[in-house]
Amino acid sequence: MKRERNSGIWDFELGIQAEGEGQDLILGLDGGTTSTVCICMPIFDFDDDCVPPDPPPVLARAIAGCSNHNSVGETAAKDTLEHVMADALSKSGSTRSSVRAVCLAVSGVNHPSDQERILSWLREIFPDDVKCFVHNDAVAAMASGTMGKLHGCVLIAGTGTIAYGYTEDGREARASGAGPVLGDWGSGYGIAAMALTSVIRAYDGRGPQTLLTSRILHQLELSSPDELIGWTYADPSWARIAALVPIVVSCAEAGDEVANSILLDAVQELASSVKAVVCRLKLCGEDGKESCPLVMVGGVLEANRKWDIGKEVISCVSKEFPKMVPIRPKVEPAVGAALLAWNFLKKQS
Amino acid sequence: MKRERNSGIWDFELGIQAEGEGQDLILGLDGGTTSTVCICMPIFDFDDDCVPPDPPPVLARAIAGCSNHNSVGETAAKDTLEHVMADALSKSGSTRSSVRAVCLAVSGVNHPSDQERILSWLREIFPDDVKCFVHNDAVAAMASGTMGKLHGCVLIAGTGTIAYGYTEDGREARASGAGPVLGDWGSGYGIAAMALTSVIRAYDGRGPQTLLTSRILHQLELSSPDELIGWTYADPSWARIAALVPIVVSCAEAGDEVANSILLDAVQELASSVKAVVCRLKLCGEDGKESCPLVMVGGVLEANRKWDIGKEVISCVSKEFPKMVPIRPKVEPAVGAALLAWNFLKKQS
């Protein structure tokens, strides 16, 4: 067994090991700024087409808090990662000696140095023959739409937004994802900030009146638009502002021109991120006419409204790349991460 | 003498009082988030036109730190205000018994309740017959351009931006000044954030190449645009970002289309704040053809460049209000505050 970094974490293995080795497993992990999910997947037989079962089998699932080292620091992030992996294994009644591969997709992993640091830490925890993979969390989102194949474009639009592209020969590119100061306008934060700005502009005479004023003030229990200034200063959390997106959508659905125009701008911004990535990597070929998956995830792109932002993004992208294949994943990103590792093992075998 | 709130602060008066009463004085104070300036002005004779001498006489000047209660809390803000007033009086060799009027123009004073609180605190410090005035700092900027007359529009564009308007019968209106989240786009922060965004967009393929990339990276000693993400996260100070405005101006002057378009947008935004205020208060009359002062202050509006943002704002505003009279103040805001009090005394006499 490997040295015990946090011996308490792995104590559960002592009871299990006595019962002998279990089934071969893969750990898939999706680590974000809000929460971290680890799932434990049994290694299933490859069918003739090498397509994973639908839905893919999941033995156990564990959840923990933030594992972005930029937010909580490297030590706390690693502690969270180790706990949630041990928790998933423990719930599945297995030990590290059953694990064949681990795939960590963690937000904040942006440079090869981040990747290398987490990889060597992983190798201290798991036996030497375990295959370890470390990626950005966008990779898990991508793989959750393509059942583990890292090829195509993924557009994530929640509180923030980012687009990633991956070629079959391992090149990648990104667009947006630079945070609110640097103009992630199609993000939930961006949409809501534009809506709040429109309320202020209507109030001080710079812009047209809008239904957003009454609906947002009602939602926030404020009596006047100038109270929005104190409201935004009181708590700089982007997620708190992004939570207003459903109001913007409902105002646009009610025919409000200001809200409608904010959403149309967001669609252009999100589509431009996708198009930039597809162009740079030539994901749709030299002529832009080849087929390529476009995985779409995040609250902003959810298709539960009459005014469907995701659908409009697809329509906008399709004008330039008519054979992009939009995919809304049916499995969660942690499963995508596990399928990515499964895909690798499959190729090896 | 009034009760000693901070007895140490006013100890210097003991030595002076023995020498008897001095010349009648006015204290004018401009309190901002970065610094606070207090000047001590002798009460000069009113000439026949009731026009103050040019330049107005200043006996002493004192400077201190932040006095915005939203930034440092009420206690620290009052402490700064009291210290800087005592310092100015002490430097002029006078005591509170020589003071006829005090005019405090402090940023963060937005509601009548703020005003009332600071007024009653001032009345505890100064003798009962001293006239006390408390305003927002925009009032001092306005008065610095009109030699103490509170009528017209003032446009402030530094790190942030705000426009205030004042009618001769005491009504007022404002536009912008809501902070970066709520879209103060023409501000120094707004201009620089758009420039940084353009660098990211050029880098990830969403936007055209721009001279801003090399000039900004050189200035910040970064080697790649993706390092800008870390740079903006490292320190959320708006002033640090706004400090990039001169680079945007120099790129526009060098013919860069992206920088040029950012400045043109900023001009539109700043002009729309002025126009909103002028419209709401009918400062140029019902037909928009009457004359009205437009006081322009702040680093963004300084006329030291070929690409002159202030001049373009005036040109844009003049299309709608041809008789706006642009004024770049020759005295500092603290002097404007003192002149405002002088104007009041003049009317009384």
Side-chain angles (χ1 to χ4, degrees):
Chain A
M1 213 57 248
K2 284 279 173 167
R3 76 169 173 82
E4 304 303 301
R5 297 174 57 89
N6 278 305
S7 55
I9 294 182
W10 299 103
D11 281 353
F12 74 90
E13 292 184 328
L14 300 171
I16 297 172
Q17 277 172 324
E19 298 163 21
E21 293 299 314
Q23 186 181 10
D24 285 353
L25 300 174
I26 295 173
L27 290 178
L29 183 145
D30 170 46
T33 305
T34 311
S35 65
T36 300
V37 172
C38 183
I39 66 103
C40 185
M41 180 182 282
I43 295 194
F44 41 83
D45 286 336
F46 308 140
D47 69 7
D48 293 342
D49 299 332
C50 286
V51 173
D54 184 9
V58 171
L59 273 182
R61 182 178 190 269
I63 188 158
C66 173
S67 57
N68 182 326
H69 65 97
N70 290 328
S71 304
V72 294
E74 183 110 355
T75 310
K78 284 177 176 168
D79 203 50
T80 299
L81 292 171
E82 190 166 357
H83 265 99
V84 76
M85 290 189 292
D87 199 13
L89 267 181
S90 157
K91 282 180 176 175
S92 69
S94 310
T95 72
R96 284 173 283 177
S97 57
S98 302
V99 174
R100 293 289 153 265
V102 180
C103 180
L104 262 49
V106 191
S107 78
V109 174
N110 293 314
H111 289 276
S113 62
D114 299 327
Q115 207 168 14
E116 210 33 69
R117 229 168 38 247
I118 300 182
L119 264 180
S120 61
W121 168 81
L122 265 186
R123 289 194 191 104
E124 287 176 26
I125 297 176
F126 288 94
D128 293 338
D129 59 342
V130 174
K131 296 284 171 198
C132 294
F133 307 91
V134 172
H135 295 285
N136 190 294
D137 53 342
V139 166
M142 178 82 217
S144 73
T146 55
M147 288 301 192
K149 212 177 154 197
L150 205 52
H151 169 240
C153 180
V154 59
L155 175 64
I156 305 173
T159 296
T161 183
I162 196 165
Y164 263 89
Y166 307 92
T167 63
E168 288 179 288
D169 59 359
R171 287 172 300 124
E172 60 181 72
R174 63 177 266 186
S176 302
V181 175
L182 300 176
D184 288 349
W185 298 122
S187 65
Y189 173 87
I191 291 170
M194 288 308 291
L196 290 169
T197 299
S198 299
V199 172
I200 297 286
R201 295 178 80 95
Y203 180 66
D204 69 22
R206 284 178 294 155
Q209 293 303 312
T210 162
L211 183 58
L212 288 163
T213 301
S214 58
R215 296 245 175 125
I216 288 179
L217 292 181
H218 177 80
Q219 169 80 16
L220 303 180
E221 297 178 358
L222 302 176
S223 55
S224 162
D226 56 12
E227 293 173 20
L228 285 175
I229 302 174
W231 184 83
T232 54
Y233 278 116
D235 177 352
S237 143
W238 304 332
R240 176 168 167 264
I241 288 169
L244 298 172
V245 169
I247 298 180
V248 188
V249 174
S250 73
C251 287
E253 289 176 349
D256 184 70
E257 267 312 306
V258 173
N260 195 54
S261 140
I262 290 170
L263 295 187
L264 288 175
D265 285 349
V267 165
Q268 292 300 324
E269 290 290 329
L270 294 169
S272 86
S273 297
V274 172
K275 289 191 274 188
V277 160
V278 173
C279 279
R280 272 162 64 202
L281 296 176
K282 298 197 168 60
L283 287 172
C284 292
E286 291 285 348
D287 62 353
K289 304 284 185 253
E290 289 172 28
S291 169
C292 166
L294 170 59
V295 176
M296 306 179 76
V297 295
V300 168
L301 301 172
E302 271 165 23
N304 51 1
R305 296 290 207 146
K306 205 172 80 185
W307 214 119
D308 183 336
I309 300 174
K311 196 174 140 193
E312 297 299 324
V313 170
I314 293 164
S315 146
C316 187
V317 169
S318 297
K319 283 176 194 151
E320 209 156 319
F321 303 108
K323 289 199 175 162
M324 291 266 343
V325 182
I327 299 169
R328 309 211 197 226
K330 286 181 289 183
V331 300
E332 67 176 330
V335 175
L339 287 171
L340 203 71
W342 176 81
N343 240 22
F344 180 87
L345 296 179
K346 182 189 74 178
K347 275 184 197 155
Q348 269 203 325
S349 73
Chain B
M1 214 59 246
K2 284 279 174 166
R3 77 169 173 81
E4 303 303 301
R5 299 174 57 91
N6 278 306
S7 55
I9 294 183
W10 299 102
D11 281 353
F12 74 90
E13 292 184 329
L14 299 170
I16 297 172
Q17 277 171 325
E19 299 162 21
E21 292 301 313
Q23 186 181 11
D24 284 354
L25 300 173
I26 296 173
L27 290 178
L29 183 144
D30 170 47
T33 306
T34 310
S35 65
T36 300
V37 172
C38 183
I39 67 103
C40 185
M41 180 182 280
I43 295 194
F44 42 85
D45 285 337
F46 308 140
D47 69 9
D48 293 343
D49 299 332
C50 285
V51 173
D54 184 8
V58 172
L59 274 182
R61 182 178 190 270
I63 188 159
C66 173
S67 57
N68 182 326
H69 65 95
N70 290 329
S71 303
V72 293
E74 183 109 354
T75 309
K78 284 177 175 167
D79 204 49
T80 299
L81 293 171
E82 190 167 356
H83 265 100
V84 77
M85 290 188 293
D87 199 13
L89 267 181
S90 158
K91 282 181 174 174
S92 70
S94 310
T95 72
R96 283 173 286 177
S97 56
S98 303
V99 174
R100 292 290 153 265
V102 180
C103 180
L104 262 50
V106 191
S107 79
V109 174
N110 293 315
H111 289 276
S113 62
D114 299 327
Q115 207 168 14
E116 210 32 72
R117 229 169 38 249
I118 299 181
L119 264 179
S120 61
W121 167 81
L122 264 186
R123 290 195 189 104
E124 287 177 25
I125 297 176
F126 287 94
D128 292 339
D129 58 343
V130 174
K131 295 284 171 196
C132 295
F133 307 91
V134 173
H135 295 284
N136 190 294
D137 54 341
V139 166
M142 178 83 217
S144 72
T146 56
M147 288 301 192
K149 212 177 152 197
L150 205 52
H151 168 239
C153 180
V154 58
L155 175 64
I156 305 173
T159 296
T161 183
I162 195 165
Y164 263 88
Y166 307 91
T167 64
E168 289 181 288
D169 60 358
R171 288 172 300 126
E172 59 181 73
R174 63 178 267 187
S176 302
V181 175
L182 300 176
D184 288 348
W185 298 121
S187 65
Y189 172 87
I191 291 170
M194 288 308 291
L196 291 169
T197 299
S198 299
V199 172
I200 296 286
R201 295 176 80 95
Y203 181 66
D204 69 21
R206 284 178 295 155
Q209 292 304 311
T210 162
L211 184 57
L212 289 164
T213 302
S214 57
R215 297 244 175 126
I216 288 178
L217 292 182
H218 177 79
Q219 170 79 16
L220 303 181
E221 297 177 359
L222 301 176
S223 55
S224 163
D226 56 12
E227 292 172 20
L228 286 174
I229 302 175
W231 184 84
T232 54
Y233 278 116
D235 177 352
S237 143
W238 303 331
R240 177 168 166 264
I241 288 169
L244 297 173
V245 169
I247 298 181
V248 187
V249 174
S250 73
C251 287
E253 288 176 350
D256 184 72
E257 267 312 305
V258 173
N260 195 54
S261 140
I262 289 170
L263 295 187
L264 289 175
D265 285 349
V267 165
Q268 291 300 323
E269 290 290 331
L270 294 169
S272 87
S273 297
V274 171
K275 290 191 271 188
V277 161
V278 172
C279 279
R280 272 162 65 201
L281 296 176
K282 299 196 169 61
L283 287 173
C284 293
E286 290 285 348
D287 62 355
K289 303 285 185 253
E290 288 171 29
S291 169
C292 166
L294 170 58
V295 177
M296 304 179 77
V297 295
V300 168
L301 301 172
E302 271 164 25
N304 50 359
R305 295 290 205 147
K306 205 172 81 185
W307 214 119
D308 184 335
I309 300 175
K311 196 174 140 192
E312 297 299 325
V313 170
I314 293 164
S315 146
C316 187
V317 170
S318 297
K319 283 177 192 149
E320 209 158 319
F321 303 108
K323 290 201 176 162
M324 291 263 353
V325 181
I327 299 169
R328 309 211 198 224
K330 286 179 289 183
V331 300
E332 67 175 331
V335 175
L339 287 171
L340 202 73
W342 177 83
N343 240 21
F344 181 86
L345 295 179
K346 182 189 73 179
K347 274 183 198 156
Q348 267 203 327
S349 74

Coordinates of all heavy atoms in Angstrom, one line a residue, chain B residues 1-15 17 79 82-83 86 96 124-125:
Chain B
M1 N -16.6 78.2 24.2 CA -16.1 77.2 23.2 C -16.9 75.9 23.3 O -17.5 75.6 24.4 CB -14.6 76.8 23.6 CG -13.7 76.5 22.4 SD -13.6 77.8 21.2 CE -14.5 77.1 19.8
K2 N -17.0 75.2 22.2 CA -17.8 74.0 22.1 C -17.1 72.9 22.9 O -15.9 72.9 23.2 CB -17.9 73.5 20.7 CG -18.9 74.3 19.9 CD -20.3 73.8 20.2 CE -21.3 74.7 19.5 NZ -22.6 74.0 19.5
R3 N -17.8 71.9 23.3 CA -17.2 70.7 24.0 C -16.1 70.1 23.1 O -16.2 70.1 21.9 CB -18.2 69.7 24.5 CG -18.8 68.8 23.4 CD -19.6 67.7 24.0 NE -20.3 66.9 23.0 CZ -19.7 65.9 22.3 NH1 -18.4 65.6 22.5 NH2 -20.3 65.2 21.4
E4 N -15.1 69.6 23.8 CA -14.0 69.0 23.0 C -14.2 67.6 22.7 O -14.2 66.7 23.6 CB -12.7 69.2 23.9 CG -12.4 70.6 24.3 CD -12.2 71.5 23.1 OE1 -11.4 71.3 22.2 OE2 -13.0 72.5 23.0
R5 N -14.6 67.3 21.5 CA -14.8 65.9 21.1 C -13.5 65.1 21.1 O -13.5 64.0 21.6 CB -15.4 65.8 19.6 CG -16.7 66.5 19.5 CD -17.1 66.5 18.0 NE -17.1 65.1 17.5 CZ -18.2 64.4 17.5 NH1 -19.3 64.9 18.0 NH2 -18.1 63.1 17.1
N6 N -12.5 65.7 20.5 CA -11.2 65.0 20.4 C -10.2 66.1 20.9 O -9.6 66.7 20.1 CB -10.9 64.7 19.0 CG -11.5 63.4 18.6 OD1 -11.3 62.3 19.2 ND2 -12.2 63.4 17.5
S7 N -10.2 66.2 22.3 CA -9.5 67.5 22.8 C -8.2 67.7 22.2 O -7.8 68.8 21.9 CB -9.5 67.4 24.3 OG -8.8 66.2 24.7
G8 N -7.4 66.6 22.0 CA -6.0 66.8 21.4 C -6.0 67.6 20.1 O -5.1 68.4 19.8
I9 N -7.0 67.3 19.3 CA -7.1 67.9 18.0 C -7.1 69.4 18.0 O -6.5 70.1 17.2 CB -8.4 67.4 17.2 CG1 -8.3 65.9 16.9 CG2 -8.6 68.2 15.9 CD1 -9.4 65.4 16.1
W10 N -7.8 70.0 19.0 CA -8.0 71.4 19.0 C -7.1 72.1 20.0 O -7.2 73.3 20.3 CB -9.5 71.7 19.3 CG -10.4 71.2 18.3 CD1 -11.1 70.1 18.4 CD2 -10.6 71.7 17.0 NE1 -11.8 69.8 17.2 CE2 -11.5 70.8 16.3 CE3 -10.1 72.8 16.3 CZ2 -12.0 71.1 15.0 CZ3 -10.6 73.0 15.0 CH2 -11.5 72.2 14.4
D11 N -6.1 71.4 20.6 CA -5.2 72.0 21.6 C -4.5 73.2 21.1 O -4.2 74.2 21.8 CB -4.2 71.0 22.1 CG -4.8 70.0 23.1 OD1 -5.9 70.2 23.5 OD2 -4.1 69.0 23.5
F12 N -4.2 73.2 19.8 CA -3.4 74.3 19.2 C -4.1 75.7 19.4 O -3.5 76.7 19.4 CB -3.2 74.1 17.7 CG -4.4 74.3 16.9 CD1 -4.7 75.6 16.3 CD2 -5.3 73.3 16.6 CE1 -5.9 75.8 15.5 CE2 -6.5 73.5 15.9 CZ -6.7 74.7 15.3
E13 N -5.5 75.7 19.6 CA -6.2 76.9 19.8 C -5.8 77.7 21.0 O -6.0 78.9 21.1 CB -7.7 76.6 19.8 CG -8.3 76.1 18.5 CD -9.8 75.9 18.5 OE1 -10.3 75.6 19.6 OE2 -10.4 76.1 17.4
L14 N -5.4 77.0 22.1 CA -5.1 77.6 23.3 C -4.1 78.7 23.2 O -4.3 79.8 23.7 CB -4.6 76.6 24.4 CG -5.7 75.5 24.7 CD1 -5.1 74.3 25.5 CD2 -6.9 76.1 25.3
G15 N -3.0 78.5 22.5 CA -2.0 79.5 22.2 C -2.5 80.6 21.4 O -2.1 81.8 21.7
Q17 N -5.7 81.7 20.9 CA -6.8 82.5 21.5 C -6.2 83.7 22.4 O -6.8 84.7 22.4 CB -7.7 81.6 22.3 CG -8.7 80.9 21.4 CD -9.5 79.9 22.1 OE1 -9.1 79.2 23.0 NE2 -10.8 79.8 21.7
D79 N -13.3 61.3 12.1 CA -12.0 61.6 12.7 C -11.1 62.3 11.7 O -10.5 63.3 12.0 CB -11.4 60.3 13.1 CG -10.3 60.5 14.2 OD1 -10.7 61.2 15.2 OD2 -9.2 60.0 14.1
E82 N -12.4 65.9 11.1 CA -12.1 66.8 12.2 C -10.6 67.2 12.2 O -10.2 68.4 12.3 CB -12.5 66.2 13.5 CG -12.5 67.2 14.7 CD -13.2 66.7 15.9 OE1 -13.8 65.6 15.9 OE2 -13.1 67.4 16.9
H83 N -9.8 66.2 11.9 CA -8.3 66.4 11.9 C -7.9 67.4 10.8 O -7.1 68.3 11.0 CB -7.6 65.1 11.7 CG -7.1 64.5 13.0 ND1 -7.8 63.5 13.6 CD2 -6.0 64.8 13.8 CE1 -7.1 63.1 14.7 NE2 -6.1 63.9 14.9
A86 N -9.0 71.0 11.6 CA -8.2 71.6 12.6 C -6.8 71.9 12.0 O -6.2 73.0 12.3 CB -8.0 70.6 13.8
R96 N -11.4 78.3 15.8 CA -12.8 78.1 15.4 C -13.7 79.3 15.6 O -14.7 79.5 14.9 CB -13.4 76.9 16.2 CG -13.0 75.6 15.6 CD -13.5 74.4 16.5 NE -12.7 74.4 17.8 CZ -13.0 73.5 18.7 NH1 -14.0 72.7 18.6 NH2 -12.3 73.5 19.8
E124 N -21.7 70.3 16.7 CA -21.1 70.1 18.0 C -19.7 70.7 18.1 O -19.2 71.0 19.1 CB -21.1 68.6 18.3 CG -22.4 68.0 18.7 CD -22.3 66.5 18.9 OE1 -21.2 66.0 19.3 OE2 -23.3 65.8 18.7
I125 N -19.1 70.7 16.9 CA -17.7 71.2 16.9 C -17.6 72.7 16.8 O -16.7 73.3 17.5 CB -17.0 70.6 15.7 CG1 -16.9 69.0 15.8 CG2 -15.5 71.1 15.5 CD1 -16.4 68.3 14.6

